[in-house]
Amino acid sequence: MNSASAEIKSLLKLEEQIRDDDFEVHLLSSDTILGKLAGEILETELVKLKGFEIKMHVISDLQVKDSKRFIKGMRNLIDEIFEIADEYWGNVIMNITGGYKASIPYLTILAQLNGCPIYYIFEDQDALIKVPNLPFSTEVIDWKDLYGNSEIIDQLQKGICDKEDHDKLVYSEFYKKYGVLVWEEPPMAELNPLGKIIWETYKK
């Protein structure tokens, strides 16, 4: 156990705490050679050690060398997590021990909004740390107001590519209120990962 990686230690400790026969591990890998290799090694070792039921997911475009692809990759990661959860967030635990540091703020917000716990463990420690859920969940968001802007959000989901549509966006009430949810490189614009998290949370 002491020589195991932090990712393996954290999963073994989680399994000890939860003691659930249906404990299932989803490994979310970056779209890189090293990410896929690390995922395969973790999968092999965890099956060897505990016989966990493991599902590997390679997240398209999730890498950190190209910022545009990273935004797409984060959107794909969010989609994948919502699909795994299948609306049963009470059954989901987020383990952020491994992976890109840049993804952690988004995953933290996703977990907080949907009420699932977050855990991590330091590389040279054995203590599993839990990030507590704040008592606000989805109540801090004006969902009716967000729904009133569903047309422009759908447009952002597909992606804005021309100057006329981008100008309309910038001068809209939606942009004044929710510009923080938009990634843009004029004339292009789309929902950023935070916007994706909030819109997918609303849709569920």
Side-chain angles (χ1 to χ4, degrees):
M1 179 73 164
N2 288 334
S3 62
S5 71
E7 291 83 2
I8 290 175
K9 281 194 290 188
S10 62
L11 287 167
L12 294 178
K13 284 191 167 290
L14 273 172
E15 193 261 349
E16 278 176 22
Q17 283 190 18
I18 294 165
R19 299 187 181 281
D20 188 333
D21 293 336
D22 295 326
F23 189 78
E24 184 177 284
V25 176
H26 291 263
L27 296 174
L28 303 171
S29 162
S30 61
D31 192 5
T32 61
I33 293 170
L34 286 177
K36 293 169 191 173
L37 181 60
E40 288 167 7
I41 292 169
L42 284 171
E43 183 177 12
T44 301
E45 291 304 309
L46 287 166
V47 169
K48 228 188 275 183
L49 284 167
K50 278 288 197 175
F52 287 148
E53 183 180 347
I54 296 176
K55 294 183 180 178
M56 177 89 164
H57 309 258
V58 177
I59 309 301
S60 177
D61 288 314
L62 188 62
Q63 47 71 65
V64 291
K65 289 189 175 179
D66 182 317
S67 60
K68 288 184 188 175
R69 281 189 64 204
F70 174 75
I71 295 292
K72 288 181 183 175
M74 279 305 306
R75 286 163 56 93
N76 292 335
L77 176 61
I78 291 157
D79 277 335
E80 195 71 30
I81 293 171
F82 270 92
E83 191 171 326
I84 291 167
D86 195 24
E87 298 190 19
Y88 296 97
W89 289 94
N91 296 335
V92 176
I93 293 171
M94 199 89 68
N95 183 357
I96 59 172
T97 299
Y100 295 134
K101 288 182 174 65
S103 69
I104 290 175
Y106 296 113
L107 296 178
T108 302
I109 292 168
L110 190 156
Q112 292 287 344
L113 283 175
N114 290 283
C116 65
I118 307 169
Y119 287 88
Y120 68 95
I121 198 169
F122 292 118
E123 189 71 46
D124 56 350
Q125 300 291 324
D126 286 331
L128 193 63
I129 297 168
K130 179 180 180 180
V131 178
N133 286 104
L134 296 172
F136 62 69
S137 186
T138 58
E139 295 171 9
V140 296
I141 296 169
D142 187 342
W143 297 109
K144 285 183 181 177
D145 188 46
L146 206 61
Y147 175 73
N149 288 281
S150 58
E151 189 176 328
I152 196 165
I153 292 172
D154 284 337
Q155 191 180 15
L156 284 165
Q157 284 269 67
K158 295 170 188 170
I160 287 172
C161 297
D162 65 72
K163 186 177 185 305
E164 186 179 346
D165 285 340
H166 183 265
D167 287 345
K168 283 181 187 174
L169 168 70
V170 170
Y171 292 108
S172 68
E173 285 300 313
F174 171 85
Y175 189 82
K176 289 176 188 174
K177 287 183 183 177
Y178 302 110
V180 69
L181 306 182
V182 178
W183 170 85
E184 57 186 319
E185 191 172 291
M188 295 184 293
E190 60 185 33
L191 282 184
N192 64 25
L194 178 58
K196 181 75 173 170
I197 289 167
I198 289 174
W199 189 237
E200 291 301 323
T201 300
Y202 165 75
K203 287 199 303 182
K204 75 168 187 171

